[in-house]
Amino acid sequence: FDLRMAIYGHLQRLDLRFYDRNPVGRLMTRVTSDVDVLNDLFTSGVVTVFSDVLTLVGIMVMMLVMNWRLALVTFAVLPIIVGISQWFRKNVRDSYRVVRGWIARINAFLQENITGMATVQLFRREALNFQRFDDIDRKHRDANIESIFYYAVFYPAIEAVSSLAAALIIWYGGMRHLSGALTIGSVVAFLQYSQRFFRPISDMSEKFNILQAAMASSERIFKLL
């Protein structure tokens, strides 16, 4: 509410030349949907991320207490996760920035054409404007598909790393068990903990969706302000 009021108050004070250069539909997007995305971040994203981080830290502590050597073997896959997450974060953020831009273009085009329908029909531009809208809408769709592609790669990659960690636990834990230094129960416990270890990571990666959309929206809002 406060952010919407700040944006609206700012728009009231801008020079009229600003409205010659910026379509009203684009400004409506800043006041409405961009602020909604930020709201989603605080209502469903932040609290869950804190919970996931606490769970992750608790699991890591328990694994280190149980057997620090086997815990380090399990944590050996963390650099791979960091690398995948960095690739995902960079590309998805750029993708969401493009998506928010095309949403603003759609809103601006709709607002101008609907409010100016008499002018559109007077100059017989219905077919031409429909083609222009089709082009904008298609580019918006393509930008969404691109963002979905990164998720389609990211989640299976995390699952593959999880399987790799389980394989390392079985391999190293099996050798330690054969030498009498580790019990089967400890190996099974580590396998269970490793599954729990990757669940918060997957949950936090889901929140990347909300976080990246919110970052893209906040850039546009603060640029306007």
Side-chain angles (χ1 to χ4, degrees):
F1 174 81
D2 292 341
L3 189 55
R4 278 207 178 100
M5 294 305 294
I7 297 169
Y8 187 75
H10 181 67
L11 289 172
Q12 296 294 305
R13 295 188 297 272
L14 290 173
D15 193 90
L16 286 175
R17 288 177 297 176
F18 175 82
Y19 294 97
D20 290 333
R21 299 190 304 270
N22 294 276
V24 174
R26 186 179 300 168
L27 302 177
M28 288 169 59
T29 305
R30 301 293 178 277
V31 181
T32 55
S33 61
D34 281 338
V35 177
D36 280 335
V37 173
L38 287 178
N39 184 55
D40 290 339
L41 171 67
F42 291 108
T43 55
S44 61
V46 174
V47 176
T48 311
V49 167
F50 278 121
S51 173
D52 288 334
V53 169
L54 289 174
T55 303
L56 197 60
V57 171
I59 290 171
M60 292 177 73
V61 170
M62 284 299 299
M63 293 173 80
L64 288 168
V65 169
M66 287 177 61
N67 191 307
W68 66 270
R69 291 186 179 87
L70 195 53
L72 292 179
V73 170
T74 308
F75 299 155
V77 299
L78 287 179
I80 302 174
I81 293 177
V82 171
I84 295 171
S85 299
Q86 288 295 323
W87 170 84
F88 175 76
R89 181 183 62 82
K90 179 181 181 299
N91 288 287
V92 167
R93 184 177 183 183
D94 293 340
S95 178
Y96 266 108
R97 191 180 291 120
V98 174
V99 168
R100 300 305 302 177
W102 284 113
I103 289 175
R105 290 280 298 276
I106 287 174
N107 288 344
F109 194 85
L110 279 171
Q111 190 274 336
E112 288 186 335
N113 276 267
I114 292 172
T115 56
M117 186 57 67
T119 307
V120 172
Q121 293 182 347
L122 179 66
F123 287 93
R124 304 287 297 175
R125 289 181 57 93
E126 298 97 320
L128 177 62
N129 284 17
F130 184 86
Q131 290 176 2
R132 288 178 61 191
F133 181 77
D134 185 46
D135 181 58
I136 294 171
D137 200 29
R138 186 184 301 108
K139 288 177 179 176
H140 173 250
R141 179 202 62 193
D142 293 343
N144 271 295
I145 291 173
E146 183 180 351
S147 68
I148 292 168
F149 163 77
Y150 295 120
Y151 282 94
V153 173
F154 181 72
Y155 288 122
I158 293 295
E159 289 296 322
V161 173
S162 174
S163 300
L164 175 61
L168 288 172
I169 291 170
I170 293 170
W171 168 70
Y172 183 78
M175 288 196 305
R176 297 280 292 176
H177 171 70
L178 291 175
S179 64
L182 198 64
T183 64
I184 286 291
S186 296
V187 177
V188 172
F190 260 86
L191 285 171
Q192 295 293 325
Y193 269 120
S194 70
Q195 291 176 358
R196 290 282 300 163
F197 178 74
F198 285 98
R199 195 172 301 163
I201 294 175
S202 298
D203 289 341
M204 284 190 291
S205 64
E206 286 182 20
K207 297 303 176 288
F208 267 131
N209 186 349
I210 298 172
L211 178 62
Q212 299 304 326
M215 291 177 73
S217 293
S218 63
E219 284 179 353
R220 303 168 73 82
I221 289 171
F222 295 130
K223 184 178 180 181
L224 172 62
L225 289 174

